[in-house]
Amino acid sequence: MLALRLTRAARPAVQLRRLLVAAASAGTGLLLLSSLGRAVAHPEAADAAALRLAWCAAPLAATVYLALAVARTDPATRPRPGLSAVGLGPARLMAVSALTTALSCSLGSMLALLFFLHLRGDLTGLPFDGAAAGLLAAGHPLPVPAAVTLLAVLPVTATATVAVALRPRDPRPPARAARRFGRFGAPGGPAGRETFGAYGRFGARLPSAPGDGRAVAAGDGRGVGAGSGRTATAGDGRAVTAVVLEADGGDRPVPDDVPEPPVPDTGAGAPAGLPWGVALVTAGLAAQAYAGRSVPVPALAVLLGWLLTGTGLVLAGPGLTHLCGRLLQARRPGALRLLAGRGLMAEAARIGRPLGVVCAVASAGCALTALTALSGGPEPAFGPLSALGALVVGGSTLATLLTAAVEARQYRAGTTAALLRLGARPALLRGAAALRAAALPALFGPLVLAIAALSALPLSR
């Protein structure tokens, strides 16, 4: 009930994003039902039906990714102060987000079923009754359990993905303990700090016999020997060296409660997936090149090459966005380039992955277009279902990228307000946003065209 109320009371922009999820779900459900109709109409071609159903995995993944991006930007399920007191903690808000996603995807699946039955001719009284009767196996009965199972795949997958991605986490980052080394690089190190020359002092490493007064057990691991003792036994069984100062003077021991100097984090904020992304893109292009050497081009090798290339672009997206931000700040930047570059570096992890997905889809589309134009034989027939699949995948990825940009703008609202309070001009902030929007296509556009050309080159021979 709470999810329904939040869905009804949302703003128009939020409702539009939810309608996009419902539309993508409807398109994916129609593709799944069409593959079922093809299998029912041609039971002898089981391999072709299985391949058609496997191709529906791309629209399914794109729709789930869009649903997750929309759930992240939903302002109604964002934690606020005071909500935990009325029972709306992080876990409850995560459940509300999952239920809202389930409602949007279920609405799309129901629309897909109604449209499928309408195109088959089972529902009459509306325009285009039975317009695709031959394509959707109108003369054969539709198995209801199979149709319900296929339509339930998308809502269940999207709901589970949102629940796992938005599960409550500890907002505090884990403490990074400095790695300490003992003498001569040995791991671990002594429990207490030692003065200079304590290790090589005469008698410091002599073993102590029990009961001779030279060893004292330390309960907390920091005690030192008394009398003429030279060692102290820690509570965990490790022997640590202690120095007993003579009465005539010597080095003063350093107190144990002196904090260690912080270890600088040199890799903070820089995405680490760029080398792996480049490696996967190279492996995918190599797989496609080897597949092009065979006279009957193996479809499995080509699919594997495209999969590796797309995964590499997704992994390299945050790193390339971070690199684009660094390039904007090169060579003595002014305020405009500095704001744009720092903004891209801060948003690299948030918009880099959706941008990599868009690049993967665009490169695959450009490669297919190039193969169609360069093929000497008859052009492959791209029917209405292929066009629907391309529309679902392309539209979902673009909508996910725009939703990620909205999320980045929401997270940047505090910084923007602080800059305005400090006296920054609104024109400067708009110019920085425009520069960021122009710099990303300038970097990713040639990359997409180059990868598409390299993917289509071996297969066009």
Side-chain angles (χ1 to χ4, degrees):
M1 185 61 67
L2 179 60
L4 288 174
R5 290 182 178 179
L6 292 176
T7 302
R8 185 183 61 181
R11 294 178 299 178
V14 180
Q15 299 285 14
L16 178 61
R17 291 196 290 266
R18 291 171 181 169
L19 288 178
L20 287 177
V21 174
S25 303
T28 305
L30 187 59
L31 290 174
L32 291 172
L33 290 177
S34 66
S35 64
L36 176 62
R38 180 73 176 183
V40 170
H42 301 277
E44 71 280 356
D47 295 338
L51 182 60
R52 185 183 292 267
L53 184 61
W55 275 111
C56 295
L60 178 66
T63 306
V64 171
Y65 197 37
L66 174 61
L68 177 59
V70 170
R72 287 182 183 275
T73 57
D74 194 350
T77 57
R78 188 171 303 163
R80 294 182 181 90
L83 289 182
S84 298
V86 294
L88 291 177
R92 184 73 180 274
L93 291 178
M94 178 269 297
V96 170
S97 298
L99 288 177
T100 305
T101 304
L103 288 175
S104 301
C105 295
S106 300
L107 176 62
S109 298
M110 292 175 59
L111 291 177
L113 180 60
L114 292 177
F115 198 63
F116 178 77
L117 295 177
H118 172 62
L119 291 179
R120 274 171 52 97
D122 297 336
L123 298 179
T124 59
L126 294 175
F128 305 103
D129 289 337
L135 188 61
L136 302 179
H140 301 271
L142 185 67
V144 178
V148 173
T149 302
L150 289 178
L151 290 177
V153 168
L154 179 59
V156 171
T157 306
T159 304
T161 303
V162 170
V164 171
L166 301 183
R167 66 187 184 276
R169 297 184 181 90
D170 191 359
R172 298 170 299 180
R176 297 186 56 184
R179 188 176 181 182
R180 303 182 61 181
F181 295 94
R183 304 177 188 91
F184 307 109
R193 304 191 66 176
E194 300 178 353
T195 57
F196 178 76
Y199 181 78
R201 190 164 302 194
F202 177 74
R205 306 302 299 170
L206 291 178
S208 58
D212 60 352
R214 297 197 303 171
V216 178
D220 58 350
R222 294 188 179 274
V224 295
S228 61
R230 300 299 182 190
T231 59
T233 305
D236 55 356
R238 294 181 300 174
V240 296
T241 304
V243 179
V244 180
L245 301 178
E246 301 296 336
D248 55 353
D251 297 333
R252 293 289 181 183
V254 181
D256 293 332
D257 56 353
V258 176
E260 294 287 340
V263 179
D265 190 4
T266 57
L274 183 58
W276 296 101
V278 173
L280 286 179
V281 169
T282 306
L285 294 177
Q288 295 177 31
Y290 278 109
R293 298 174 62 181
S294 304
V295 176
V297 178
L300 183 60
V302 175
L303 183 61
L304 178 61
W306 280 352
L307 182 62
L308 289 176
T309 304
T311 307
L313 285 174
V314 173
L315 288 179
L320 291 175
T321 307
H322 193 272
L323 178 62
C324 184
R326 284 190 175 275
L327 292 177
L328 280 178
Q329 304 175 68
R331 301 289 299 178
R332 302 174 66 180
L336 181 63
R337 287 198 294 136
L338 188 62
L339 282 177
R342 288 302 176 94
L344 281 180
M345 291 173 62
E347 299 165 3
R350 189 168 289 114
I351 66 175
R353 294 281 176 87
L355 194 56
V357 174
V358 171
C359 290
V361 173
S363 62
C366 293
L368 288 177
T369 304
L371 288 176
T372 303
L374 293 176
S375 59
E379 296 184 0
F382 290 99
L385 295 179
S386 301
L388 177 61
L391 179 62
V392 170
V393 173
S396 298
T397 52
L398 285 177
T400 303
L401 179 59
L402 296 178
T403 307
V406 171
E407 181 186 6
R409 183 180 179 182
Q410 292 175 356
Y411 277 90
R412 203 174 54 245
T415 305
T416 304
L419 289 174
L420 291 175
R421 286 195 303 267
L422 290 175
R425 295 175 300 171
L428 178 64
L429 301 181
R430 289 194 296 266
L435 184 58
R436 285 194 300 267
L440 290 176
L443 178 65
F444 283 91
L447 178 64
V448 169
L449 295 178
I451 291 179
L454 291 176
S455 300
L457 183 60
L459 305 178
S460 60
R461 296 177 181 177

